[in-house]
Amino acid sequence: AYFSYKLDSAGHHRVIASYGRRIDRPNYQDLNPFVVILDKYSTFQGNPFLKPQYSNNYELSYNYNNMLSFALNYSRVAGFQTENDYQQGNIFAGSFVNLGHATTRSASVNVSLSPVKHWNTNAYFELTNNTYVGQLTPSYLNVSKPFFNANVNNQFVLGSGWSAELSGFYNGSRVWAQFIHTPQWSVNTGLQRQIVNNKGAVRLSARDIFHSYFSGGDITNIAGLTAHYRNDNANRSLTLGFSYNFGSTIKNQRKHDTTSADDEAERVKN
C-alpha cells in the first residue's frame, strides 16, 4: 500500500506513506540436513524444519524536489531466520533457526545536490536500532543496539571527455541476532575518459584503496566462552577497462520488475 500527497501545487514538497508485508523463504542450503565439516573445530548443518519469515514494514517520508528526503521506518519480522552457533562437545556447531521476532526502527536522510558546477554528490545517512528476541541453542536471546551508517558518492566532470568518481561508506558497530559486528568502512575511486566520439570509454577504478574493509565481530550467547572472528574479504582491487557502444540508445526501455521467480532464484546460495 502506497500513498503520496503533494503539499504544494508545484509538487516540490511531498509526503509519502507506505506499508508492505513480505514473506521470505529459506535458502535451500539452509534446509540441507547433512553436516558440513568446516574444519576440525567447527561444523555446519542445515535445518529441514526452518520456516519462512514474515515481515511488516511501515515507512513515512518527506521529499523536497527530489533533492532532500527524510524517512522514518519501522519493521517487525516474525520467525526471523538467523544463524545459531553453539558448542557441541569439543566443537562449534552452526545451524539456522527461526528466532521469535526481530524489530528495526530507523531514521534516514538522503541529500542529492550539486555544490558547484561539474560536481554532483549524493549522501545517505541512517540511524537504526535493531532488537532481537527469541530462543537460541541453548540460551534465550534478548538484545538491542543502535548503529549509524553513511554512504557518500561524488561525481566530477573534468572536461574534454574526462570524468572522475569518489565514493565511500561507513557502517557502525551493529547487532545481528547472536552476532555483534565491528565497524566497517571503505573508499573507492575511479577515472574515465570518453573516446571515439563518446561511443567508447576507458576507465581506471580502484576499490577499497585503504584496504580497510574487513568483516569481524563477537559471537554472543555461547555458554562458558567468548568467540571472536575476523575475515579479510579481499575487496581491494585495481581495474582497467574499456567499453564501446556499437548501437544507439534504446528509448522507452521496458522496466523489469522483480517477480516471484527472481525471489526463488535468490534462494540458491553458492
Side-chain angles (χ1 to χ4, degrees):
Y2 177 89
F3 174 80
S4 176
Y5 181 74
K6 295 180 181 179
L7 299 178
D8 62 328
S9 58
H12 295 312
H13 302 269
R14 286 189 301 159
V15 174
I16 301 169
S18 66
Y19 164 76
R21 179 170 170 82
R22 180 178 175 85
I23 177 174
D24 292 293
R25 296 177 175 84
N27 294 309
Y28 293 115
Q29 188 61 37
D30 298 336
L31 298 168
N32 188 346
F34 293 98
V35 176
V36 178
I37 299 176
L38 303 177
D39 54 48
K40 64 180 181 179
Y41 299 112
S42 56
T43 65
F44 184 86
Q45 180 180 15
N47 178 6
F49 302 104
L50 193 62
K51 299 178 180 179
Q53 65 180 28
Y54 297 86
S55 61
N56 291 279
N57 309 297
Y58 306 84
E59 184 173 287
L60 177 65
S61 64
Y62 162 78
N63 183 286
Y64 170 69
N65 205 28
N66 294 322
M67 293 174 51
L68 177 66
S69 63
F70 301 91
L72 298 174
N73 181 279
Y74 174 85
S75 176
R76 185 179 177 89
V77 183
F80 180 70
Q81 301 167 15
T82 185
E83 183 177 342
N84 181 197
D85 292 342
Y86 54 94
Q87 190 171 9
Q88 192 175 56
N90 294 324
I91 65 172
F92 295 103
S95 186
F96 268 81
V97 298
N98 291 107
L99 198 64
H101 67 265
T103 305
T104 299
R105 304 170 181 87
S106 67
S108 61
V109 178
N110 191 86
V111 181
S112 181
L113 49 84
S114 180
V116 296
K117 189 177 181 181
H118 305 311
W119 175 20
N120 295 312
T121 183
N122 183 271
Y124 178 82
F125 307 96
E126 181 179 297
L127 181 63
T128 302
N129 185 84
N130 288 336
T131 302
Y132 301 92
V133 178
Q135 183 64 48
L136 293 175
T137 302
S139 60
Y140 190 81
L141 181 70
N142 188 346
V143 62
S144 181
K145 181 180 176 64
F147 71 94
F148 171 79
N149 66 72
N151 192 311
V152 179
N153 182 280
N154 298 281
Q155 295 181 339
F156 307 92
V157 178
L158 305 178
S160 300
W162 289 92
S163 60
E165 181 177 321
L166 179 65
S167 64
F169 73 87
Y170 172 82
N171 293 327
S173 176
R174 62 198 186 282
V175 64
W176 182 267
Q178 196 178 359
F179 302 86
I180 300 178
H181 299 297
T182 54
Q184 298 173 316
W185 65 279
S186 179
V187 176
N188 313 306
T189 187
L191 183 66
Q192 179 173 285
R193 174 71 159 88
Q194 297 283 346
I195 59 176
V196 196
N197 296 322
N198 293 331
K199 286 192 173 184
V202 178
R203 179 179 175 85
L204 178 67
S205 60
R207 191 170 75 168
D208 193 18
I209 59 178
F210 296 109
H211 198 205
S212 57
Y213 182 59
F214 297 90
S215 61
D218 298 316
I219 307 175
T220 65
N221 285 63
I222 302 180
L225 60 88
T226 299
H228 179 77
Y229 69 97
R230 177 180 169 87
N231 299 320
D232 185 345
N233 300 290
N235 283 305
R236 197 181 197 188
S237 64
L238 182 66
T239 305
L240 178 63
F242 170 75
S243 63
Y244 184 81
N245 181 15
F246 290 94
S248 58
T249 304
I250 300 175
K251 296 181 179 181
N252 301 321
Q253 187 173 11
R254 183 177 179 180
K255 180 182 177 182
H256 174 71
D257 295 322
T258 302
T259 65
S260 58
D262 297 317
D263 290 338
E264 190 70 12
E266 288 293 326
R267 297 177 65 193
V268 180
K269 295 199 300 186
N270 295 327

